[in-house]
Amino acid sequence: MGVYIVQRIGQALLVILLAYTAVFLAVQALPNDPVTIFLSADASADPATIAQMKAYYGYDQPLIAQYFTQLGALLSGDLGYSLSSGSAVNTRIGEVIGSTLVLAGSAFAVALVLAVGLTAAASLSRRARVRNALLNLPPLMISIPVFWLGLVLLQILAVQLGMMSLFPDGSFLALAVPILVLAIHLSAPIAQVLIKSVHQVNTQPFVDVLRAKGASEAWIFYRHTLKNAAPAALSIAGITIGTLLAGSVITETVFARAGLGQLVLQAVTVQDIPLVQGLVLLTAAAFTAVNLLVDLIHPKLDPRIITAHAGSPRALAA
């Protein structure tokens, strides 16, 4: 187990390093440095000012020096400074991240509940028509654009029924509706994988033995099937974390919520590349951390993972 954990942590750190390298090279591939691009629309910016800002932000250094200077700052938790505000990227992110964490975390929790509830209803339903209708729901849910669903709910609840405000006002619906919009989209792939995994588990001999002993379908599902089907769904749940930021950008824009989504939109609009770079690295780190957590939880659900890992040639060599 110790070797497994160390290897997973090492892989996570390598992924973050590769993500940083990819972002750094993408910035270097731009036609000009971030300062020149940011000031290109400012007619009053003279060459002396541009040169001074380049030196301040370190863009006048050689490529290799920039790489390791920025990497060292990143390792110390410094994401650099925003060109549009002059404040630290950490500060800009810290001002709005709380709202996004509430939205994304709540949406993810609701998505898990929706996925499990849909899987249970589809698996335990005795009517073929109802079961087929439930099985067709995940593809429908994932095909509905987040912005379209958000606009439709705003039109119905805010404009036609007057149940909520068009802008955040601290009410329950002002938070619950964006959470539901994002959760519906997130729950679809999780439900698809979980339903398929449950079907595969139900074909195993131990399920037939439990039925022969008189166990009910509900008891088998909640006590045995769901646990054995969970690892596959847990993997896809970790992957959907990567879509949370994209979904949050759209959802926060539709519902006029302040958060990382609005910050990304503003940074891209004004071409504040250091801020965009910091947000991308934060997203990559969060995605990697969540998937590391999923990898560490997997052995608890399926101990065979450790057995297979221990029997691999690489593990035996270690």
Side-chain angles (χ1 to χ4, degrees), residues 62-118:
L63 183 65
I64 192 69
Q66 289 186 45
Y67 179 87
F68 285 105
T69 298
Q70 294 182 24
L71 179 60
L74 179 64
L75 293 175
S76 64
D78 182 5
L79 295 176
Y81 290 87
S82 167
L83 289 171
S84 58
S85 66
S87 59
V89 171
N90 291 343
T91 302
R92 295 293 307 277
I93 293 175
E95 292 170 351
V96 298
I97 195 172
S99 175
T100 298
L101 287 178
V102 170
L103 174 64
S106 301
F108 186 70
V110 173
L112 292 179
V113 173
L114 288 176
V116 173
L118 181 58

Side-chain angles (χ1 to χ4, degrees), residues 172-309:
F172 172 75
L173 286 179
L175 179 61
V177 175
I179 288 174
L180 181 62
V181 168
L182 192 52
I184 288 175
H185 187 75
L186 289 174
S187 65
I190 302 174
Q192 282 183 307
V193 173
L194 188 57
I195 288 172
K196 183 177 181 180
S197 185
V198 165
H199 176 73
Q200 292 175 343
V201 173
N202 282 336
T203 62
Q204 298 298 315
F206 79 89
V207 176
D208 294 331
V209 173
L210 292 172
R211 288 171 179 160
K213 291 182 178 180
S216 66
E217 291 295 329
W219 190 88
I220 294 173
F221 177 83
Y222 289 109
R223 293 294 299 271
H224 296 278
T225 306
L226 190 59
K227 179 182 178 181
N228 286 277
L234 186 62
S235 296
I236 197 66
I239 294 174
T240 57
I241 292 294
T243 67
L244 271 177
L245 180 60
S248 297
V249 171
I250 299 172
T251 305
E252 289 174 351
T253 301
V254 171
F255 291 93
R257 290 180 55 86
L260 286 180
Q262 287 289 334
L263 188 60
V264 170
L265 185 62
Q266 294 170 11
V268 172
T269 301
V270 301
Q271 302 186 76
D272 190 343
I273 294 175
L275 183 55
V276 174
Q277 184 177 359
L279 289 165
V280 171
L281 291 174
L282 176 66
T283 304
F287 179 77
T288 304
V290 170
N291 280 274
L292 173 61
L293 181 62
V294 169
D295 285 342
L296 297 181
I297 293 176
H298 259 163
K300 298 294 182 181
L301 298 175
D302 189 358
R304 292 175 299 178
I305 294 176
I306 295 298
T307 304
H309 176 77

